[in-house]
Each structure stands twice: as C-alpha cells, then as structure tokens.
C-alpha cells in the first residue's frame, strides 16, 4: 500500500435521515439508541461477560473455560468449549419446539404451464434426518473429522444438507461458487488438499443448464487428489461417469440411518475454508472455526434482521459466497428461522421474479445486493408494482457501497417507505456483519452502513493507527478481536498476519477506505487496493491478469476496475501482445472468452485495450492506479513521480483517443 493511499478523497454528501418507525421499534430486539449504546459499550469494555452471556443461547456439549484468549493477532474464543454447528442448527431448534417448523423453503427457477414454481418445504426434523443420512453416507465413504470436502452445487436444499452434514461429522467444507470454471475448482482442490467433491449433474440458471459435473470432470484432469465424486441428480441430463470414482447422491444415502450423533467439536476446530480473491493470483482460503463464527451468525440474525419465530426470511445470495454461508444457512438456522432458498436468476423469466417470490411466500425480511437493486431499478417499477409486497417489514443490503439513489428506490418502491433498511458492511474474512444499523434503534441515512455491531471496535485511521477526525477519509480498521474473525489462511499461516495485521500495526486492516461523519457513522469508500468488485463479487486483478497472460498471444496484462452502471465496477484490461502478434477486434473477443473459460463469466473484461507497454515503477510494479484513472476519466492527474518511463502514459492516452 502506497503512502498516499491512506488519505481518500470524499465527495459523497447526503443529509436525509430516516428514524426507525416507532411501531417497528416497539417490537424490536433493540428498541432505542440508548439501548444499543449501552449494549455496545459493555461488549467493548467487558467482552468476556457480554459474549459469555450471549453464548448461552447456543447449545454446548461442554461449557468453555475462558471466553477469549487474545495473543495479537491470534484469537481463541470459548476456549475449551465443545459444540457442534449442525446440532445447533437442527437438534437444538427441534428441542426448542421447532421440529415441525419449516427450516428451508425452496423455490425452483422453472415455472410450470400455469406459472407456478416447484416449492419444497423442509421442516427442521426432516432436515435433520436428511443431514444425518447424508452424514452417515459420507462416513461410509471414509470421510473423517478434519477432512476437507469440496462442494460445487447449485442452489438446492441438498447444498445446505451437504454443508451441515460436513459440520455434523467434523469435516470442513470448501464451497466453490457454481459460476466458477474448472480451473478454479482444481486450484482450490489442490490448495485445500480435498479428496472428495460433492456436485450435481447440472444446475438450472436462466432457463439453461450449468454443466457442473462436466466442469468437475475437466478439473479432475489436472489434479489427482480427488478419489470420490458424489453427484446429485438435478437436471437429469446425461453425464459422463467414471466407475469407482463417481457415485450418485441417492446411493450415498440409500439404507443410511437418520440418526447420526453430532461430533463434539472444539470451539476452535475448523468449520470451513472459503476461497476469496486476494491481490496475488494464489487462491486465499479464508479459515473459519466453530463457536465464535456460529455465535456471530446467530447474534447478527437476531439483532440485525430482528428475526422472530413467525418470520419468513430470504437472503438472495448464492451459497458459494460467504453471505450464503452465514445468512442463507448457518445464521438463520441457528436463529430458528425459516430460510428461503431460490434456485435461479433474478431475471427469469423477467425482472419481476424476486417480487413474485416475496408475494407468493409472504417474505418478511429480504436481504440482497446493491448490484441487484440497480438492475431492478433499470428494469422499471412497473415490474414491482404489479406485486403485493406488503408482507415485507425489513430490507437489507450487502456487498458494496449502495448509492443513495438505489437506497431511496429500495426504500420507496420496495419498502413503501415503511421498512427500515439495514446496509450491512462485512467481509468474507469477518465472517459476519460488522457495521450495520439495528433496525429498531438506528436512524439511517442513505449510503452509510452506520455504526458498529456489538463487540466491533471499528475505526478510521491513518497508516500509523491514529484515528482521523470526522469526515476525513482513511483506512477502515478493527482494533479488537471479534468472535467470527477469520483464524487464518489455509495452507499459508504466515500470510494471515502479513496480509491483515501489518499495514496498520496491531490492527486488522480491512483493505477498505472509509470516513466517519459527525454522528460517527461509517461511510465505506471501497477498496484501497486493486481488487475489483463486480456485481458485489470481489475479484482479484491478479487472477484475471494471470488468465490473460496464460493466452499464448499475450505478453503482459494489467486489469483495473472502472465505473459500470449495472455492476458497480466493470473490468478494463490493458494488454501487451507478444512480439509479432497483431491487435484485432477478433482477438479482443477471443481474450474475453478465454478469461471466462479460465476463471468464470464474472471475470470477463468489459474492455480490452491493447498497448505496447504498461506504466511501471522502477521496481517493476505495474501502476494500476494510473490505468484506473485512464479507464475511468481518460486522463491521468494523479501522482506519477514513481513512474519509470513517462512516455508510456502519453502513448497509452494516444491509443485511447484512437
Ligand atoms: C468487501 C467484502 C460480505 C459479504 C459480501 C462480500 C465490500 C461489503 C459493503 C457495504 C460498502 C461493502 C467492501 C468489503 N462491501 N458490504 N455494506 N458497504 N462496501 O464479501 O467478497 O469478502 O467482499 O465488499 O469493500 O471489504 P467479500
């Protein structure tokens, strides 16, 4: 991180304030700012008492000896405690009388002739039985505590069953987003040293098929680690079959008992690894453990989504992202909620699909991403207005800063002015929501995630860790450990301390820039490094660059984000060709398709620009900051003093104008 990047210019001005509706506050878990402030103060000053009390809502096989053991930057929460995440999400709920309550309500993408989807309602008891049968099946295949199981599944209830079954027997899962390609699968399988993959014959997306099994088959040509592939039948399309390696899901559970004792896990045993893009090409396996993670997920569901037993809750994220882990599966189930899972695309058959789902099932709490909201805005409010959304009482967003226009649209058109909006800031690394309004307490302002959640000591600082005055942009850090914080990077223990705890000594640096306003509200200003956030998905430029460079015509590539109306950020790639290769429109298309094949469609550049050289520092580092300016405004006004060869910029601009 360069010196001058801790100061960030702030241009957003927003003065509207929306106090929580009094009827909402009256019933909420936290009813006023005073109550929030009191609880937050206690959570910071006496974290052990506070979280020790909160953790009594969970089920423990053995109580902890000590709430927190902190040797910066390594935290252990609930030291000595034994519990099981799947037991908490299932058996513990059944014991509290929720056996016949729907745990997962699933809706297919496909609609029948009369316009109806297939709907499955799985009760807590039925889900426990399914999880136990599958868990017993996994054991029979030799899966043991501590193994890493790769899950590459469509959005069907069996994806949650697979995750919970791993948790039940103490195997860690590594879920790979179904939109990723073969290369992403083999990289992650290799890094996690995983020898079993759970997948499906295919997935359904926008009326088409996603060839999941075929992608796995291709991935397994470049890694020999995987010994078993479990295949769920979803589409019924024919698949290639490798005898001895491939096994149908139905055969895994055949004859298995619905009774599978939950493994008593240590509070700090690994629950899962989830790969996220870092700023280098190497996949970064974020490690989450058992007790602290579960507690933060459960607590945020209770306090941020203000969940009550009668609520129907829907988070539209895919299980391949951390939001799907924490807020489709673990959080809502640990809070005893009915969690809605939708199989497909937001625009199938058109952009009114989400509103049809909310109307059909009478969804009360809805959590989605700003990029989706912007797409809905563009599609027009007629698509919304033909649906009855009066069941909604709370709306949430996550993934990137929400621009005030989109916030106001969400508030007025979807929430009819009566639903509080919780704009929640967090990260794969933080495991759970960190900065957020509490809907019955916090007055909201469009565009800010407002104030820290319980136990979160967030601050905006400069590079030395000094807190900055109001409205000055700086680095968003967390100064104290919190229960769901990542515990490390899988397979790379040193990288954890280096990556998160050295930029600002002694503090967790999120990589985001932010400012606090005069009320102490946090306004997130985006990443200060070069990771690109496309449609709420964080993509490392290095991964895309290495994909480009792996094409035989490409010598060098630099990838930067640029503003994009729909996706938040689009991708611009500056490409230098091998000597003797000629730029052409066809080659641009070929390179875009190439990246799609290497990484996945999400990572496809929106723009390719050929250039004969890239701006670099003396030490050979590409100056992406300058390219970003060029891609955004066509001008470079920023600091160029570290640039090695000034003529490069002039040439780039020339090419830009052509
Ligand atoms: C990055 C984390 C957390 C689940 C989804 C993404 C950006 C996330 C907000 C928000 C402004 C946000 C940040 C963050 N981000 N939520 N409410 N306001 N920015 O997880 O892929 O780990 O990305 O997303 O830049 O660091 P992720």
């Amino acid at each position: 991180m360069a010196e001058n990047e801790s100061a960030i210019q702030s241009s957003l001005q927003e003065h509207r304030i929306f106090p929580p509706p009094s009827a909402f506050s009256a019933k909420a878990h936290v009813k006023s700012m005073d109550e929030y402030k009191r609880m937050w103060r206690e959570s910071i000053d006496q974290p052990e008492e506070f979280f020790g009390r909160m953790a009594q809502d969970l089920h423990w096989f053995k109580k902890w000896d000590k709430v927190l053991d902190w040797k910066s930057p390594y935290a252990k929460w609930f030291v000595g405690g034994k519990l099981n995440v799947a037991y908490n999400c299932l058996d513990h709920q059944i014991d509290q009388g929720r056996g016949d309550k729907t745990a997962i309500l699933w809706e297919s993408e496909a609609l029948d002739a009369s316009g109806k989807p297939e709907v499955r309602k799985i009760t807590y008891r039925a889900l426990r039985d399914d999880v136990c049968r599958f868990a017993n099946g996994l054991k029979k295949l030799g899966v043991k505590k501590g193994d890493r199981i790769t899950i590459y599944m469509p959005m069907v209830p069996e994806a949650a069953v697979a995750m919970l079954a791993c948790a039940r027997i103490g195997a860690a899962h590594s879920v790979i987003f179904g939109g990723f390609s073969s290369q992403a699968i083999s990289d992650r399988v290799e890094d996690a040293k995983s020898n079993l993959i759970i997948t499906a014959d295919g997935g359904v997306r926008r009326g088409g098929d996603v060839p999941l099994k075929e992608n796995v088959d291709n991935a397994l040509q470049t890694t020999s680690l995987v010994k078993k592939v479990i295949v769920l039948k979803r589409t019924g399309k024919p698949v290639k079959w490798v005898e001895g390696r491939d096994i149908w899901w139905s055969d895994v559970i055949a004859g298995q008992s619905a009774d599978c004792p939950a493994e008593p896990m240590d509070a700090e045993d690994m629950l899962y690894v989830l790969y996220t893009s870092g700023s280098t090409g190497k996949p970064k396996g974020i490690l989450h453990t058992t007790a602290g993670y579960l507690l933060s997920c459960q607590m945020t569901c209770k306090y941020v989504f203000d969940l009550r037993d009668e609520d129907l809750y829907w988070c539209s994220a895919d299980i391949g992202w951390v939001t799907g882990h924490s807020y489709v599966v673990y959080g809502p189930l640990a809070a005893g909620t009915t969690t809605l899972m939708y199989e497909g695309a937001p625009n199938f058959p058109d952009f009114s699909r989400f509103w049809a789902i909310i109307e059909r099932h009478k969804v009360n709490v809805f959590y989605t991403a700003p990029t989706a909201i912007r797409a809905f805005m563009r599609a027009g409010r007629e698509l919304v207005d033909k649906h009855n959304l009066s069941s909604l009482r709370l709306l949430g967003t996550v993934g990137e800063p929400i621009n005030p226009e989109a916030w106001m649209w969400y508030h007025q058109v979807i929430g009819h002015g009566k639903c509080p909006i919780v704009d929640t800031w967090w990260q794969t690394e933080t495991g759970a929501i960190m900065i957020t309004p509490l809907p019955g307490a916090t007055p909201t302002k469009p565009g800010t995630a407002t104030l820290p959640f319980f136990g979160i000591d967030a601050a905006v600082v400069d590079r030395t860790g000094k807190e900055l005055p109001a409205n000055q942009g700086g680095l968003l850090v967390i100064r104290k450990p919190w229960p769901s914080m990542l515990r490390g990077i899988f397979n790379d223990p040193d990288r954890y301390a280096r990556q998160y705890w050295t930029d600002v000594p002694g503090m967790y640096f999120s990589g985001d820039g932010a400012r606090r306003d005069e009320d102490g509200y946090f306004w997130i200003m985006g990443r200060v490094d070069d990771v690109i956030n496309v449609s709420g998905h964080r993509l490392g430029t290095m991964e895309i660059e290495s994909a480009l460079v792996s094409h035989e015509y490409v010598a060098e590539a630099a990838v930067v984000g640029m503003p994009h109306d729909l996706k938040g950020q689009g991708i611009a790639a500056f490409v230098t060709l091998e000597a003797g290769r000629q730029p052409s429109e066809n080659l641009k298309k070929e390179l875009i398709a190439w990246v799609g094949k290497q990484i996945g469609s999400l990572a496809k550049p929106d723009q390719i620009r050929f250039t004969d050289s890239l701006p670099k520092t003396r030490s050979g580092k590409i100056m992406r900051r300058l390219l970003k300016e060029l891609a955004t405004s066509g001008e470079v006004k920023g600091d160029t003093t570290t640039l090695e060869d000034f003529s490069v910029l002039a040439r780039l601009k020339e090419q830009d104008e052509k």
Side-chain angles (χ1 to χ4, degrees):
M1 190 175 59
E3 198 74 47
N4 56 4
E5 273 167 0
S6 61
I8 301 166
Q9 187 114 29
S10 146
S11 49
L12 243 173
Q13 287 298 329
E14 173 61 57
H15 298 291
R16 287 169 286 200
I17 296 194
F18 296 83
S22 50
F24 192 103
S25 301
K27 290 201 213 157
H29 288 295
V30 176
K31 298 178 170 54
S32 67
M33 277 303 272
D34 282 348
E35 198 179 341
Y36 157 73
K37 283 183 189 154
R38 199 166 9 90
M39 288 176 77
W40 184 78
R41 195 68 274 159
E42 192 209 345
S43 72
I44 295 294
D45 293 344
Q46 291 148 315
E48 302 208 30
E49 271 167 47
F50 181 86
F51 285 110
R53 198 169 66 239
M54 293 289 153
Q56 286 167 15
D57 278 354
L58 303 182
H59 170 275
W60 297 85
F61 292 122
K62 176 182 171 288
K63 204 186 157 191
W64 58 91
D65 305 314
K66 192 173 187 320
V67 174
L68 174 61
D69 178 11
W70 175 233
K71 293 192 185 68
S72 180
Y74 303 101
K76 290 186 184 141
W77 284 87
F78 303 103
V79 181
K82 302 270 184 214
L83 74 172
N84 183 284
V85 167
Y87 190 97
N88 268 280
C89 290
L90 303 167
D91 311 58
H92 186 47
Q93 304 306 325
I94 297 166
D95 292 345
Q96 292 172 78
R98 301 195 176 102
D100 297 322
K101 177 176 176 169
T102 301
I104 296 178
L105 190 160
W106 176 83
E107 164 162 337
S108 68
E109 185 188 80
L111 302 168
D112 67 14
S114 63
K116 292 216 169 57
E118 182 190 345
V119 172
R120 289 167 66 187
K121 293 183 182 174
I122 304 168
T123 64
Y124 272 92
R125 204 183 317 279
L127 185 60
R128 178 182 61 183
D129 292 353
D130 288 348
V131 167
C132 285
R133 279 190 206 98
F134 192 67
N136 280 326
L138 287 177
K139 280 207 234 175
K140 193 172 160 209
L141 290 174
V143 176
K144 296 178 310 298
K145 181 175 171 178
D147 289 355
R148 273 87 46 209
I149 304 298
T150 300
I151 297 178
Y152 182 66
M153 299 269 286
M155 280 293 282
V156 291
E158 285 81 0
V161 170
M163 292 164 75
L164 289 160
C166 289
R168 193 158 190 104
I169 61 179
H173 54 69
S174 163
V175 180
I176 301 175
F177 174 51
F180 277 137
S181 66
S182 305
Q183 185 65 47
I185 303 171
S186 47
D187 286 350
R188 285 155 178 73
V189 158
E190 285 279 329
D191 190 81
K193 307 213 172 9
S194 170
N195 56 27
L196 190 149
I197 298 185
I198 305 169
T199 188
D201 52 357
V204 178
R205 183 92 186 163
R206 213 161 285 132
D209 292 321
V210 186
L212 297 171
K213 173 65 163 62
E214 193 184 316
N215 291 346
V216 169
D217 288 338
N218 290 336
L220 297 194
Q221 291 181 352
T222 55
T223 170
S224 55
L225 284 175
V226 175
K227 303 297 178 236
K228 288 279 173 217
V229 177
I230 299 176
V231 187
L232 176 79
K233 193 168 268 180
R234 170 63 194 123
T235 62
K237 295 266 157 59
V239 286
K240 272 203 283 188
W241 204 254
V242 177
E243 280 310 326
R245 185 195 75 183
D246 298 349
I247 175 168
W248 288 108
W249 177 292
S250 54
D251 291 331
V252 173
I253 58 175
Q256 291 299 341
S257 148
D259 183 18
C260 174
E263 186 74 30
M265 301 296 284
D266 188 89
E268 283 298 337
D269 274 339
M270 179 171 165
L271 177 64
Y272 66 77
V273 57
L274 181 60
Y275 286 90
T276 175
S277 303
S279 49
T280 76
K282 197 166 173 263
K284 191 165 72 171
I286 303 300
L287 209 110
H288 282 293
T289 58
T290 298
Y293 173 79
L294 182 68
L295 178 63
S296 293
C297 289
Q298 182 264 351
M299 277 180 65
T300 47
C301 276
K302 175 173 169 184
Y303 290 109
V304 177
F305 299 124
D306 197 48
L307 291 176
R308 290 197 291 262
D309 235 328
E310 62 276 19
D311 275 331
L312 177 58
Y313 158 91
W314 180 23
C315 165
S316 70
D318 191 280
I319 49 131
W321 307 113
V322 73
T323 312
H325 287 55
S326 301
Y327 296 110
V328 176
V329 181
Y330 293 122
L333 295 178
T337 305
T338 301
T339 178
L340 191 150
M341 234 175 136
Y342 167 54
E343 178 181 39
N347 60 348
F348 189 87
D350 62 39
F351 269 114
S352 67
R353 182 59 182 268
F354 276 19
W355 322 127
I357 294 175
I358 291 172
E359 179 175 29
R360 180 160 32 245
H361 303 293
K362 302 197 170 52
V363 171
N364 306 112
V365 178
F366 177 54
Y367 190 34
T368 195
T371 180
I373 298 170
R374 285 194 296 270
F376 298 134
M377 278 173 81
R378 176 172 277 203
R381 73 172 291 165
E382 313 78 64
L383 290 172
V384 183
D385 288 343
K386 62 183 189 187
H387 292 285
N388 178 354
L389 304 183
S390 61
S391 59
L392 288 173
R393 64 180 193 87
L394 177 62
L395 301 170
T397 82
V398 61
E400 55 184 313
I402 179 166
N403 45 310
E405 294 73 38
W407 195 101
M408 288 305 297
W409 187 88
Y410 200 30
H411 185 250
Q412 285 162 350
V413 178
I414 306 304
H416 293 283
K418 73 176 175 66
C419 303
I421 294 179
V422 287
D423 172 357
T424 62
W425 177 87
W426 59 294
Q427 310 179 292
T428 305
E429 290 87 341
T430 71
I433 293 168
M434 302 287 280
I435 301 181
T436 176
L438 297 187
T442 317
T444 53
K445 306 179 195 178
T448 162
T450 75
L451 296 166
F453 187 67
F454 303 135
I456 307 305
D457 185 20
V460 175
V461 301
D462 67 13
R463 282 172 54 81
T464 67
K466 188 166 85 44
E467 210 164 346
L468 295 172
N471 290 317
Q472 193 168 318
L475 309 176
L476 176 59
V477 296
I478 315 294
R479 298 181 293 198
K480 280 180 189 301
W482 65 99
S484 61
M485 63 191 272
L486 79 161
R487 298 302 196 269
I489 295 175
F490 194 77
N491 225 354
D492 197 348
D494 299 337
R495 192 169 170 194
Y496 163 71
R498 206 170 62 232
Q499 176 103 29
Y500 300 104
W501 297 86
T502 54
D503 282 321
V504 185
M507 300 180 188
Y508 170 86
F509 174 42
S510 64
D512 282 351
R515 72 178 163 96
R516 296 187 85 165
D517 68 14
E518 51 290 345
D519 295 322
Y521 282 23
F522 286 83
W523 295 76
I524 313 298
M525 296 156 78
R527 315 286 306 163
V528 302
D529 61 13
D530 52 12
V531 171
I532 306 179
N533 195 329
V534 179
S535 303
H537 305 311
R538 197 146 59 113
L539 300 173
T541 54
M542 283 300 297
E543 249 177 344
I544 307 171
E545 288 166 6
S546 37
L548 282 165
V549 174
S550 71
H551 188 282
E552 61 166 327
Y553 284 17
V554 175
E556 198 172 37
V559 164
V560 295
M562 57 177 198
H564 189 288
D565 282 352
L566 229 48
K567 297 193 285 190
Q569 273 192 306
I571 299 171
F574 292 81
V575 172
T576 307
L577 295 178
E578 295 283 358
R581 300 294 185 186
Q582 292 310 314
S584 70
E585 285 308 309
N586 268 344
L587 182 55
K588 282 187 186 175
K589 286 194 197 118
E590 188 180 322
L591 292 177
I592 291 169
W594 174 261
V595 173
K597 210 171 126 227
Q598 300 290 310
I599 308 178
S601 310
L602 266 178
K604 280 186 183 170
D606 297 281
Q607 237 183 55
I608 301 258
R609 302 184 185 203
F610 294 113
T611 172
D612 55 7
S613 51
L614 292 164
K616 288 183 188 167
T617 62
R618 241 165 266 269
S619 59
K621 270 198 166 140
I622 297 172
M623 297 183 71
R624 292 188 187 75
R625 183 167 52 81
L626 303 183
L627 293 171
K628 198 169 170 174
E629 272 193 87
L630 198 63
T632 303
S633 66
E635 283 299 332
V636 175
K637 296 208 184 83
D639 181 10
T640 53
T641 44
T642 53
L643 189 63
E644 186 200 32
D645 172 5
F646 286 91
S647 67
V648 171
L649 269 188
R651 288 205 302 278
L652 266 169
K653 274 212 303 230
E654 240 171 63
Q655 280 151 351
D656 195 44
E657 277 147 19
K658 267 188 216 154

